[in-house]
Amino acid sequence: MTKKRLAEGVELLCSKDKRLRSVVDRLGSPPQWYRRPGFRTLLYLILEQQVSLASARAIWNKLVALKQSEPTPSKFLEITDEELRSVGFSRQKIRYGRLLSEAIILRRIKLDQLQRFDDVNVHAKLTAITGIGRWTADVYMMEAMRRADIWPVGDLALATSVTEVLGLQGRPNVADLEIIGTRFKPWRSVAARIFWHHYLSDPKRKGSSKPT
């Protein structure tokens, strides 16, 4: 999704929903929040699972400092469990990182060829790897692959922001958030960015920022 396409989606959504228009009028259009496609981003997203963005960023920076470079699949497999634990990896995330590395090295998944497939097939290929669930696949498709119609229902920040922007009585569960998202098709990735833009604008959430 190019900047032009993002702007097109923002304008269309704002013309249909005054609450989204209010966010954009107050904060401006949301950033693209683009991440480089590949192993680095998937490993980073594994680190982000169920922790704050600030915590994931701190662990990542320690990992890079440990070896003085960003890891590749083969280099990640060379790092010992003890070293990974020392920078903040949990036992589970060590396992997920190793399984991802092996899948790429053995060509069980070909990240450089994913753009050839539609959203459903990309999602299936990513989530076939242990450790990559729906949220991780959704965010990778949104930010690394720039797909326009992804709605990460497992994202807590999205659910919180939807509650605030739409004036809901309580935070929606996954099923409710799925239903809410249908009104934003085929621009759900753009809608999610607008909601994230609102979420990250709150001073109480200082330290939260999207990685690049």
Side-chain angles (χ1 to χ4, degrees):
M1 183 166 53
T2 62
K3 288 184 179 180
K4 183 178 180 180
R5 288 277 287 167
L6 176 63
E8 179 185 348
V10 168
E11 185 57 37
L12 186 62
L13 289 171
C14 288
S15 70
K16 294 183 176 182
D17 194 309
K18 63 182 181 181
R19 295 161 298 187
L20 296 186
R21 168 65 70 185
S22 177
V23 173
V24 173
D25 286 347
R26 176 168 51 91
L27 301 173
S29 291
Q32 281 187 296
W33 284 309
Y34 173 67
R35 309 196 203 201
R36 299 198 310 266
F39 170 75
R40 177 222 194 250
T41 289
L42 279 172
L43 182 61
Y44 200 120
L45 286 170
I46 287 172
L47 284 178
E48 286 186 358
Q49 293 171 1
Q50 299 180 323
V51 301
S52 69
L53 295 176
S55 295
R57 184 166 56 249
I59 296 170
W60 180 263
N61 289 340
K62 290 177 183 177
L63 175 64
V64 172
L66 179 69
K67 296 299 181 181
Q68 298 299 307
S69 65
E70 292 189 347
T72 62
S74 58
K75 287 182 179 178
F76 186 83
L77 291 177
E78 294 172 359
I79 304 173
T80 67
D81 287 3
E82 184 177 43
E83 288 175 315
L84 290 170
R85 285 195 296 269
S86 74
V87 300
F89 273 74
S90 66
R91 180 181 301 176
Q92 185 178 58
K93 290 183 179 180
I94 291 172
R95 177 171 177 261
Y96 290 167
R98 297 204 187 287
L99 289 172
L100 172 62
S101 299
E102 291 169 358
I104 292 172
I105 290 170
L106 297 175
R107 303 292 282 172
R108 294 192 190 115
I109 187 166
K110 301 173 183 178
L111 297 179
D112 57 340
Q113 296 182 19
L114 288 181
Q115 287 289 13
R116 297 164 44 195
F117 301 97
D118 63 19
D119 291 345
V120 172
N121 280 298
V122 172
H123 208 276
K125 289 177 182 296
L126 287 170
T127 55
I129 301 171
T130 299
I132 298 181
R134 177 170 181 176
W135 176 85
T136 304
D138 283 345
V139 177
Y140 185 82
M141 292 169 69
M142 280 182 63
E143 298 186 353
M145 299 182 68
R146 304 191 188 192
R147 297 294 174 101
D149 193 35
I150 306 299
W151 186 243
V153 293
D155 191 85
L156 181 59
L158 176 63
T160 299
S161 184
V162 165
T163 305
E164 295 171 353
V165 173
L166 302 187
L168 305 181
Q169 292 299 310
R171 193 166 64 203
N173 58 30
V174 168
D176 290 337
L177 198 57
E178 190 80 72
I179 294 170
I180 290 169
T182 59
R183 72 185 70 173
F184 304 123
K185 287 184 174 184
W187 294 102
R188 288 180 295 176
S189 296
V190 178
R193 283 174 167 83
I194 294 173
F195 285 115
W196 279 340
H197 201 25
H198 165 82
Y199 180 87
L200 294 171
S201 71
D202 189 330
K204 297 192 297 292
R205 293 154 186 158
K206 185 178 180 181
S208 295
S209 62
K210 300 290 286 181
T212 57

